[in-house]
Amino acid sequence: MGSAADKAKGLANEAIGNVKQGVGKMTGSEKLEAEGKVQELKGEGQQAVGKAKDAVKKAANL
């Protein structure tokens, strides 16, 4: 998977995670809130992978 795809999936997972957290808070569902936090963190990790891939590409082109 390319760096752009990693970053895009990361953004999507963060957004979905944030929505789940909000719905969980509104409905009092601790389970949904926790699932949202996990998904948000997964998204942050995916974005970090994408940024790392970009950095490696830039370093290889020097």
Side-chain angles (χ1 to χ4, degrees):
M1 185 177 318
S3 63
D6 285 324
K7 289 190 268 185
K9 283 189 174 190
L11 283 172
N13 274 319
E14 276 191 67
I16 293 167
N18 283 324
V19 170
K20 282 183 178 180
Q21 287 179 70
V23 171
K25 284 180 185 177
M26 288 177 17
T27 61
S29 173
E30 291 179 10
K31 180 180 183 245
L32 188 57
E33 197 172 339
E35 286 176 6
K37 186 63 179 171
V38 168
Q39 191 160 5
E40 179 185 8
L41 292 172
K42 177 183 176 183
E44 290 174 4
Q46 286 172 316
Q47 284 195 52
V49 167
K51 289 176 184 177
K53 286 181 180 179
D54 282 343
V56 168
K57 285 179 189 175
K58 285 180 185 177
N61 290 329
L62 292 180

